[in-house]
Amino acid sequence: MTIASKLPAVGTTIFATMSALAAQHKAVNLGQGFPDFPMDAGLIELVSKAMRENHNQYAPMPGWMPLREAIAEKIKFLYGATVDPDVSITITPGGTYAIYSALTAVLHPGDEVILFEPAYDSYIPNIEVNGAVAVRLPLVYPDYRIDWEAVRAAITPRTKVIFINSPHNPTGAVLGPADIEELRKIVANTSILILSDEVYEHLIFDNIPHQSILRYPDLLERSFVCFSFGKVYNCTGWKLGYCVAPPSLMKEFRKIHQFNAFSCFTPTQVALADFLKNKEAYLSLGAFMQERRDYFIQLMQPTRFELLPSHGSYFICARYNQISEEGDLAFATRLTQEAGVTTIPVSAFYADGKDDHVIRFCFAKKKETLEQAVERLLRY
Ligand code: PMP
Ligand code: GLN
């Protein structure tokens, strides 16, 4: 049977492709973003306890209420916002699902979504599968900042959403207060919505405060803000996250969610309702990951890779001009095959495959893993 594809330009995601290649060549996998160190044993114990205590049936459609309450408290503590857990927070099977659901809730065919490239690879297919149009603006290379004048010029009567991501995957760029000011000015007195992917909210370095949309009531009233527990608690395989939005937007979000996943795995929600009260567990994450970033930068110094700045996320990008003139996919493929180190070609984050000859390394790894990878890169 052949069908007319809804996403004709889409192949298999680069993360699946590169992880399969890494496994095939027994390479050190610094490609797909996931930690290789164990998650907190206390949190695992809380999940087992929840299962033993019979929390094994469907959770409520919007999520386990004590977890939503704990999230609301955390939001108040971190960002000063008062968010009603009953009508403004929904627990989702991961951050990606939250983003997809938000877009699907609001986009009509022909609507335009302004987003910035390089962009995480699910964003554009999520827009296009809804019949909407991705208006792609380049982040300004090499520091990957937003050109707000270009945003102003890209706005049309069809602009439905501006889509931001800070800390940013793949570049590690972060938005500052001046960016938020620009965004505020641009959306004021319009009906433009904001989708903010903040899955790396705690993975921010160098004492830079995270510019969450949750800090700004005038922005929050028009936003979907998406988070991932996988990133906060080193358990990406849990695929658990949440979305925060004002009640009118969340009502539409739940219409999509209730007929898709309906609800999420209950034992982890019960466990996290307790674990979220431990502030240190999330407050310490930035310093913990910064140490890995700094260690990786130090290890990479004698190599011929030129690392670009990274202020957040799991990732740091690098130029490889001194080693090869190949395109980034060819280079990353060869690096896996010949050096035994897997990375992600950054062209995968551009709809038109724009290739600046940059690859992305994930440093959310044990120090031994980083050492092993760099030892191989040094020999290459
Ligand atoms: N957004 C970005 C930018 C990401 O890197 C990730 C990580 N996969 C996600 C969203 C989604 O996270 P999750 O695994 O919770 O779906
Ligand atoms: N967010 C992860 C990354 O950027 C990948 C998640 C996935 O494989 N879908 O590497």
Side-chain angles (χ1 to χ4, degrees):
M1 293 286 281
T2 51
I3 54 165
S5 176
K6 296 186 79 171
L7 296 169
V10 169
T12 303
T13 167
I14 192 70
F15 306 115
T17 304
M18 295 311 288
S19 278
L21 197 68
Q24 187 191 336
H25 293 276
K26 298 193 170 40
V28 183
N29 191 354
L30 303 189
Q32 191 177 24
F34 60 89
D36 71 343
F37 39 81
M39 64 174 293
D40 188 286
L43 181 50
I44 293 177
E45 183 43 41
L46 285 173
V47 179
S48 307
K49 180 164 162 274
M51 292 176 89
R52 284 195 302 272
E53 290 176 355
N54 292 322
H55 292 293
N56 298 305
Q57 308 308 328
Y58 292 126
M61 180 272 279
W64 181 246
M65 193 43 147
L67 175 56
R68 286 187 277 147
E69 286 167 352
I71 291 169
E73 274 173 37
K74 177 181 172 182
I75 289 172
K76 181 87 192 163
F77 166 70
L78 284 177
Y79 305 120
T82 303
V83 169
D84 183 343
D86 189 25
V87 289
S88 283
I89 300 174
T90 300
I91 311 298
T92 62
T96 320
Y97 175 106
I99 291 164
Y100 172 79
S101 304
L103 289 167
T104 302
V106 302
L107 292 179
H108 294 266
D111 284 348
E112 293 175 357
V113 180
I114 294 180
L115 83 169
F116 305 96
E117 287 189 320
Y120 186 57
D121 73 341
S122 69
Y123 295 170
I124 292 177
N126 281 186
I127 293 164
E128 292 181 345
V129 82
N130 283 297
V133 178
V135 177
R136 305 179 286 114
L137 299 181
L139 290 171
V140 184
Y141 180 80
D143 55 355
Y144 295 107
R145 64 188 163 70
I146 293 177
D147 175 352
W148 291 103
E149 280 315 309
V151 177
R152 279 192 183 85
I155 286 176
T156 76
R158 287 199 212 242
T159 305
K160 187 64 155 282
V161 178
I162 297 179
F163 193 157
I164 56 173
N165 167 220
S166 178
H168 184 255
N169 180 3
T171 67
V174 297
L175 296 180
D179 293 300
I180 300 293
E181 271 320 300
E182 293 283 5
L183 181 61
R184 274 178 136 157
K185 281 189 233 153
I186 287 171
V187 297
N189 306 316
T190 73
S191 55
I192 298 172
L193 303 172
I194 296 165
L195 177 49
S196 184
D197 178 348
E198 303 189 11
V199 300
Y200 296 106
E201 87 184 299
H202 298 300
L203 294 162
I204 184 160
F205 315 136
D206 311 316
N207 293 317
I208 301 173
H210 170 51
Q211 290 300 320
S212 177
I213 289 296
L214 301 174
R215 289 182 194 273
Y216 303 95
D218 56 323
L219 294 180
L220 179 54
E221 70 177 20
R222 59 172 77 237
S223 298
F224 293 95
V225 193
C226 300
F227 298 90
S228 170
F229 288 116
K231 298 292 181 330
V232 181
Y233 295 118
N234 302 317
C235 53
T236 59
W238 278 23
K239 291 300 292 189
L240 196 70
Y242 56 99
C243 181
V244 181
S248 59
L249 296 184
M250 189 49 82
K251 188 169 159 223
E252 296 305 313
F253 181 99
R254 287 181 184 172
K255 289 183 189 176
I256 304 299
H257 168 64
Q258 69 180 345
F259 295 132
N260 192 2
F262 175 75
S263 67
C264 303
F265 188 64
T266 306
T268 48
Q269 296 190 64
V270 175
L272 283 167
D274 249 0
F275 202 72
L276 232 64
K277 292 177 186 138
N278 173 2
K279 296 189 173 67
E280 196 43 36
Y282 58 79
L283 292 177
S284 60
L285 190 61
F288 173 84
M289 212 58 86
Q290 179 174 334
E291 201 186 316
R292 269 143 191 83
R293 178 202 64 174
D294 293 345
Y295 190 54
F296 185 65
I297 291 174
Q298 181 202 322
L299 289 172
M300 287 289 282
Q301 221 132 42
T303 71
R304 288 180 293 159
F305 290 91
E306 183 195 340
L307 293 175
L308 300 172
S310 165
H311 302 293
S313 81
Y314 283 162
F315 309 115
I316 189 162
C317 290
R319 292 191 184 110
Y320 54 84
N321 296 345
Q322 291 175 45
I323 303 172
S324 165
E325 288 176 359
E326 280 166 295
D328 64 2
L329 178 59
F331 181 71
T333 303
R334 210 157 56 76
L335 204 63
T336 297
Q337 293 164 337
E338 294 177 6
V341 178
T342 298
T343 60
I344 300 290
V346 170
S347 62
F349 297 83
Y350 289 93
D352 63 1
K354 181 171 180 283
D355 187 348
D356 292 315
H357 293 206
V358 173
I359 55 174
R360 187 195 81 175
F361 290 92
C362 172
F363 52 74
K365 302 291 174 190
K366 290 187 250 186
K367 289 192 173 169
E368 306 90 89
T369 309
L370 298 176
E371 286 161 8
Q372 200 190 358
V374 178
E375 200 180 299
R376 291 175 179 206
L377 293 175
L378 275 167
R379 273 193 265 124
Y380 188 61

